[in-house]
Amino acid sequence: MIVAETKPIEEIYGFIEPYNKIMVLGCGGCVSVCLSGGEKEVGVLTSALKLKRKIDGRELEVVEMTIPRQCDWEYFDLMGSRLDEVEAVVSIGCGAGVQALVKKFPDSLVYPGLNTSFLGVGEKPGVWVEYCQGCGSCVLGLTGGICPVARCSKHILNGPCGGSEKGMCEVDPKNIPCVWQLIYDRLKSIDRLDLIEKIMDMKDWSTATDGGVRRMENPEVFALEHKQQEDKEPAKG
Amino acid sequence: MGEAQEKANSSEMISGSNLEKIFRAGHFAITTECGPPKGADVERLKEKINHIKGCCDAANVTDNQTAVVRMSSIGASAILVQEGVEPIMQMVTRDRNRIAAQSDMFGAHALGIRNMLCLTGDHQKFGNHPTAKNVFDMDSIQLLKVIDHIRTENKVIGGDDVEGPAKMFLGAAANPFGDPFEFRVFRLAKKIQAGANFIQTQCIYDMDRFKKYMQMACDHGLDKKAFIMAGITPLKSAGMANYMNKFVAGISVPDEIIQRLKGTPKEKQAEEGIKICLEQIETVRNIPGVAGVHLMAIEWEHKVRGILEQTDLLPRPQV
Amino acid sequence: MAETEEKVEEKQPKQPVDPNFVPKIVAFCCNFCAYAAGDLAGSTRTEYPSNIKVIRLPCSGRVDTRLLLRAFEEGADGVYVAGCEEGSCHFAEGNYWAKRRVKNAKKLLDEIGIGGERLEMFNFSASMFDKFVANAKIMDERIRKLGPSPVNVAAAKSK
Ligand code: SF4
């Protein structure tokens, strides 16, 4: 799931300074689950912004709304015409949600309320940890299902480095387990240490963000879209 | 692939560096460290070079160690060459991708640098630019492989031919005390397989554990495939011993050493530290498979000569 | 743990206390302890500051950040939550939830500029009517010293 954190109130407050009526738009997807962008958080942010405005002697009107997802077009229909009432929107969806909103409503002013952080897992109540970096060529098959790209502080593919001590990573020994210790333990337990006795070759990063902006096409659906377009276009010749 | 390291102990020279020759002639090698200045102060660098001149077969030139910005290791290494001290240019993958790493190696070679130590590098969090973006396109083992590929295949890793040979005598670091202990020797083997001709270990205080490690390394035949050097760092005080033990990951200082320093009056602790260091040098010389000592006198370069003069390791053999 | 009065005072710049200022204080009280203790205070005719508006909750765990902020939006100068003693919540752990939420909301109030010290959490049982009174007095005194909430100050100015 996508994990995001609330931006400092001060920063959001700065974005909306010129406006008197705004919408705070939550998302019912990932950010609801990680307790940063759901209905409840819409309420808290709304209250916080209103209070701050009051202290500054100005009123702020807020339309509170949460839609199931901000990264798919159809859900925006649920907003009806509420968007027309406001001067600007603070979206507390992830970065993708904010941008989808901008694309869908080019005439609206949209500001982010969250810092989108990582792809992770809720390890225990209230704690989310990065598990995946979306590098585009998964190595989990070679590492016992534990990712060194995302979870080693130095993305080392032939670890552990010298900074691994008592199972923890020197970069933050309180909070970061050395992923290479985890991988070692795991492979040992499934009797596949042979997998890391071989050198893991340099990674092809062209499938990661390094290769430029990524896209994925589903050939069936994508072809369908083309078909429609082809149908519309008059046949040549 | 990997041809070069199999020849590490054979008679065929790789880069022909002084360090390589010393090893091949069967001498017990001495390397030390020379940290570049935090700026372009050549005089300061030359001062440091003078401290170690004649006391070592080659000196490591660190590459923005602990992620603190300093003069580049290539630039400083070139000055060492000029000054007549052979450099071991360190290169970390924290700050360079495969393009820069290969290009920098060519540049270094052109400037007369013939030894190169491949490292992943300390995380930038520990340095003076903690908000920097890191690179880590490769890790140390992959970097070794890239540079090894150039010297054996005469091609860059991307496949193009290399103009003019560029052969480095390749080194790598090893931490015998990092966890998991059982895997450390396998990782060492990976480094050697990737192309490392010599290995310098992290500073060692726990000799019993190191002996065990070397035993395992020898059992795997690694001492035959690469020259393994024991890292030694003289302790200046009981406080330093304590600090290293507690706060530096992967270093453990046995209690008896800490106690020994603690039991020494403050003004004599440095002297005692040097005594311990001399004993350690003697000990590691007698551990099978150890081909040399890497003396890292952290901010104590001027003591290197004094320490080594108390051994029979000076003057250094000419090869 | 409630903040001590010394700590609160350290944080606040010294300003003259307005003797005419009567703070509006909202007390979110758990039905099973604080609210009952308040009742007991009443039946024993023990006086407590009359400017405290008690809101009865089924459990202190009912409060959430929004609710606490809303009280300030509606003009409270101070807010506190009173729940059962730790370990004896009627719903097992509602008061621990309240404790964490109050802690979090204090931070948020600091960020907003209202000041976390205007919010507090107390724990006592149904029989401790003296504590009910004592805590009400603590809050009353604290808020009197702090003066009106910045929200109310701004509202007064704009009038
Ligand atoms: S200690 Fe482990 S997780 Fe941390 S950088 Fe080293 S190998 Fe990676």
Side-chain angles (χ1 to χ4, degrees):
Chain A
M1 129 178 111
I2 293 165
V3 179
E5 283 176 292
T6 316
K7 273 186 180 293
I9 301 294
E10 192 68 46
E11 190 180 343
I12 305 172
Y13 190 69
F15 293 149
I16 59 151
E17 204 277 325
Y19 318 114
N20 296 317
K21 186 166 182 186
I22 63 163
M23 175 188 278
V24 174
L25 184 65
C27 172
C30 310
V31 292
S32 271
V33 183
C34 71
L35 306 178
S36 53
E39 205 172 335
K40 211 155 200 162
E41 292 73 32
V42 166
V44 173
L45 180 59
T46 299
S47 262
L49 292 174
K50 277 187 172 173
L51 278 168
K52 218 167 153 48
R53 262 299 171 81
K54 280 191 175 168
I55 294 174
D56 284 350
R58 279 171 68 194
E59 287 294 326
L60 179 72
E61 254 189 277
V62 181
V63 174
E64 296 177 47
M65 196 162 216
T66 303
I67 57 176
R69 278 211 298 278
Q70 290 188 20
C71 55
D72 275 314
W73 311 119
E74 49 268 42
Y75 297 108
F76 291 129
D77 295 344
L78 299 172
M79 292 162 66
S81 60
R82 302 294 318 258
L83 208 53
D84 303 337
E85 297 170 29
V86 300
E87 296 162 82
V89 184
V90 173
S91 156
I92 53 173
C94 71
V98 174
Q99 294 182 64
L101 205 55
V102 168
K103 199 176 170 86
K104 172 92 178 173
F105 305 106
D107 297 333
S108 304
L109 298 170
V110 185
Y111 296 94
L114 299 182
N115 289 323
T116 307
S117 306
F118 54 82
L119 298 185
V121 166
E123 282 195 343
K124 48 188 171 195
V127 179
W128 291 268
V129 178
E130 179 164 23
Y131 269 41
C132 176
Q133 223 172 53
C135 72
S137 50
C138 189
V139 300
L140 289 172
L142 300 172
T143 56
I146 300 172
C147 180
V149 180
R151 296 169 67 186
C152 166
S153 303
K154 300 197 279 198
H155 321 308
I156 292 176
L157 293 182
N158 294 283
C161 76
S164 172
E165 199 171 62
K166 297 194 183 79
M168 300 307 279
C169 169
E170 65 174 345
V171 170
D172 183 358
K174 275 206 192 85
N175 293 311
I176 308 177
C178 171
V179 78
W180 275 101
Q181 177 77 53
L182 299 178
I183 292 171
Y184 176 82
D185 293 343
R186 163 93 181 133
L187 291 178
K188 196 171 170 187
S189 76
I190 59 170
D191 207 14
R192 285 306 310 268
L193 277 177
D194 59 297
L195 286 172
I196 52 169
E197 276 165 20
K198 287 192 288 265
I199 294 174
M200 205 189 290
D201 267 333
M202 278 195 302
K203 208 169 153 49
D204 174 356
W205 292 110
S206 69
T207 57
T209 54
D210 310 80
V213 180
R214 294 173 279 178
R215 58 188 268 132
M216 192 192 86
E217 289 166 8
N218 179 307
E220 289 179 20
V221 183
F222 185 61
L224 195 73
E225 200 187 49
H226 268 274
K227 183 86 180 62
Q228 286 172 351
Q229 237 167 28
E230 277 161 25
D231 288 349
K232 264 184 246 156
E233 280 165 20
K236 278 180 199 139
Chain B
M1 260 295 164
E3 203 186 327
Q5 80 272 358
E6 247 128 63
K7 289 184 189 154
N9 285 4
S10 76
S11 55
E12 199 177 312
M13 281 288 171
I14 297 166
S15 80
S17 71
N18 183 55
L19 183 64
E20 184 179 5
K21 285 186 201 151
I22 288 277
F23 279 132
R24 290 194 190 286
H27 296 297
F28 190 78
I30 302 284
T31 55
T32 183
E33 216 158 78
C34 186
K38 290 183 183 171
D41 189 347
V42 178
E43 288 317 309
R44 211 182 125 71
L45 178 61
K46 284 185 178 169
E47 225 173 85
K48 279 193 175 179
I49 297 173
N50 266 330
H51 289 315
I52 56 170
K53 199 167 182 173
C55 323
C56 59
D57 304 312
N60 287 35
V61 181
T62 49
D63 181 9
N64 297 308
Q65 200 173 23
T66 62
V68 171
V69 173
R70 290 172 181 272
M71 181 191 288
S72 75
S73 62
I74 306 172
S77 292
I79 294 173
L80 261 76
V81 173
Q82 284 168 17
E83 295 295 302
V85 172
E86 184 172 278
I88 299 169
M89 179 186 69
Q90 297 195 358
M91 186 184 281
V92 300
T93 61
R94 177 193 60 230
D95 311 324
R96 299 178 177 74
N97 64 10
R98 60 194 79 175
I99 300 171
Q102 296 179 94
S103 149
D104 281 352
M105 189 277 284
F106 290 144
H109 197 275
L111 290 166
I113 296 158
R114 292 292 180 272
N115 305 308
M116 176 172 170
L117 188 89
C118 300
L119 302 165
T120 305
D122 297 308
H123 194 271
Q124 71 276 7
K125 175 198 154 167
F126 298 106
N128 54 5
H129 293 75
T131 55
K133 180 165 171 36
N134 57 38
V135 181
F136 297 128
D137 177 21
M138 346 165 235
D139 59 29
S140 55
I141 291 175
Q142 293 161 342
L143 176 61
L144 282 163
K145 242 183 132 170
V146 168
I147 309 297
D148 179 60
H149 184 80
I150 292 174
R151 66 184 182 181
T152 51
E153 309 294 324
N154 227 31
K155 280 182 181 4
V156 291
I157 200 80
D160 286 358
D161 286 340
V162 168
E163 293 173 348
K167 295 193 175 180
M168 286 284 184
F169 191 53
L170 281 180
N175 185 351
F177 305 117
D179 288 322
F181 183 61
E182 322 83 76
F183 190 65
R184 285 291 149 184
V185 169
F186 287 98
R187 189 151 190 266
L188 177 64
K190 278 169 105 170
K191 289 198 169 183
I192 294 170
Q193 196 202 331
N197 306 114
F198 68 99
I199 302 291
Q200 293 172 330
T201 73
Q202 172 73 281
C203 27
I204 296 155
Y205 296 102
D206 187 341
M207 287 298 162
D208 293 334
R209 206 157 164 202
F210 181 58
K211 276 181 201 157
K212 243 181 257 162
Y213 176 82
M214 282 309 299
Q215 179 67 50
M216 281 158 77
C218 293
D219 289 348
H220 281 81
L222 300 179
D223 59 323
K224 300 282 180 296
K225 293 186 182 156
F227 303 100
I228 303 175
M229 310 181 76
I232 305 270
T233 292
L235 294 165
K236 293 184 204 175
S237 64
M240 175 178 173
N242 226 344
Y243 178 85
M244 300 268 271
N245 190 39
K246 270 208 189 125
F247 298 111
V248 184
I251 293 185
S252 72
V253 184
D255 209 39
E256 58 190 76
I257 292 185
I258 299 177
Q259 290 313 328
R260 187 168 151 189
L261 285 168
K262 266 195 188 147
T264 312
K266 260 234 152 73
E267 64 290 355
K268 294 239 156 118
Q269 283 183 357
E271 211 177 288
E272 192 66 20
I274 290 178
K275 239 193 237 163
I276 295 171
C277 169
L278 288 166
E279 292 165 20
Q280 287 169 332
I281 294 175
E282 271 320 296
T283 311
V284 298
R285 278 175 86 174
N286 293 314
I287 297 176
V290 176
V293 160
H294 178 49
L295 190 61
M296 292 166 273
I298 304 166
E299 292 300 318
W300 232 19
E301 285 93 346
H302 58 283
K303 292 277 182 188
V304 169
R305 193 182 305 273
I307 293 171
L308 290 172
E309 269 169 356
Q310 297 180 57
T311 67
D312 58 0
L313 291 163
L314 290 186
R316 296 308 303 152
Q318 299 297 313
V319 285
Chain C
M1 239 358 249
E3 273 185 88
T4 63
E5 295 317 294
E6 292 81 40
K7 259 203 209 150
V8 171
E9 256 175 53
E10 264 170 39
K11 277 200 217 161
Q12 213 55 27
K14 290 265 175 294
Q15 54 191 29
V17 179
D18 174 4
N20 297 322
F21 167 56
V22 182
K24 271 183 250 144
I25 298 175
V26 176
F28 289 106
C29 292
C30 158
N31 181 43
F32 292 95
C33 53
Y35 191 80
D39 244 3
L40 200 54
S43 36
T44 54
R45 299 184 183 279
T46 322
E47 265 185 59
Y48 68 88
S50 58
N51 50 331
I52 309 255
K53 311 277 174 247
V54 173
I55 295 178
R56 177 178 174 179
L57 299 179
C59 171
S60 62
R62 168 61 187 86
V63 297
D64 65 11
T65 317
R66 179 90 206 255
L67 197 59
L68 296 171
L69 295 186
R70 274 301 289 276
F72 286 100
E73 267 186 67
E74 301 301 327
D77 297 299
V79 174
Y80 68 92
V81 181
C84 300
E85 291 183 294
E86 290 186 8
S88 51
C89 169
H90 194 77
F91 300 101
E93 49 184 39
N95 51 358
Y96 291 110
W97 280 99
K99 182 183 174 180
R100 290 191 293 265
R101 285 170 183 157
V102 165
K103 203 172 154 200
N104 192 30
K106 271 171 167 285
K107 260 194 238 142
L108 206 54
L109 286 170
D110 279 336
E111 256 193 273
I112 294 167
I114 289 179
E117 61 278 10
R118 290 184 185 272
L119 175 65
E120 205 49 86
M121 168 100 196
F122 299 107
N123 301 79
F124 50 91
S125 73
S127 60
M128 297 168 158
F129 67 90
D130 49 333
K131 267 245 170 137
F132 177 90
V133 174
N135 289 331
K137 282 185 179 157
I138 286 177
M139 247 356 233
D140 183 47
E141 266 168 46
R142 184 193 288 185
I143 305 298
R144 274 176 203 271
K145 272 189 208 151
L146 290 170
S149 125
V151 173
N152 295 339
V153 173
K157 259 191 217 150
S158 66
K159 258 176 213 158

